[in-house]
Amino acid sequence: MRRAARIDANQPEIVEALRKAGCRVQPLHMVGKGCPDIVAWTPNKGRLVFLEIKDGAKPPSARKLTADEENWHGVWSDLKDAGALYVVASVDEALQALGAV
Ligand SMILES: [Mg+2]
C-alpha cells in the first residue's frame, strides 16, 4: 500500500531531535500495517520506545490513529501499558516519551 511509505511532515525533525539528544532511531514507517513510525533507544535511560508520529500542524481529526494503527495498538496494548508505545505530535512530546528531557 503506497500510503504506508509516506512519512508525517514532522518526522524528520523529530528523528533529528532524538538523535541530537543521544537516542538511536530506526525508522519503521515503511513497514505499514499500523506499525509505529519509529523505534528509538535511549542508552543512558535504558528505554526502548515505539513512536507513532502525528503531524501536530494538522487538525485533531487528521491526527487520529488510522484503522490499521488502532489495530496494531490494540494487539500491542501491553507495550503501551509498559510505557514503550506513544503517539506523539511534536518534538517535545517525542523527547518526553524517551525520557530525554
Ligand atoms: Mg504516523
Side-chain angles (χ1 to χ4, degrees):
M1 213 159 91
R2 288 181 60 87
R3 60 186 292 200
R6 272 200 326 223
I7 64 167
D8 295 281
N10 54 344
Q11 180 167 321
E13 64 174 349
I14 286 175
V15 169
E16 186 185 1
L18 290 175
R19 287 180 172 152
K20 273 190 185 155
C23 302
R24 197 180 312 151
V25 180
Q26 171 62 58
L28 298 174
H29 61 270
M30 69 295 282
V31 174
K33 299 189 176 179
C35 179
D37 293 308
I38 64 173
V39 61
W41 166 248
T42 317
N44 59 359
K45 302 268 184 185
R47 278 171 71 82
L48 183 78
V49 172
F50 288 82
L51 299 181
E52 173 53 47
I53 296 170
K54 293 294 175 184
D55 186 350
K58 288 188 173 174
S61 60
R63 284 186 245 153
K64 285 198 281 195
L65 294 178
T66 65
D68 278 352
E69 290 163 358
E70 287 279 9
N71 184 56
W72 199 98
H73 282 237
V75 171
W76 291 81
S77 62
D78 49 349
L79 206 60
K80 188 175 184 178
D81 297 340
L85 173 61
Y86 295 89
V87 179
V88 299
S90 68
V91 165
D92 283 351
E93 287 178 8
L95 290 169
Q96 278 176 26
L98 267 294
V101 286

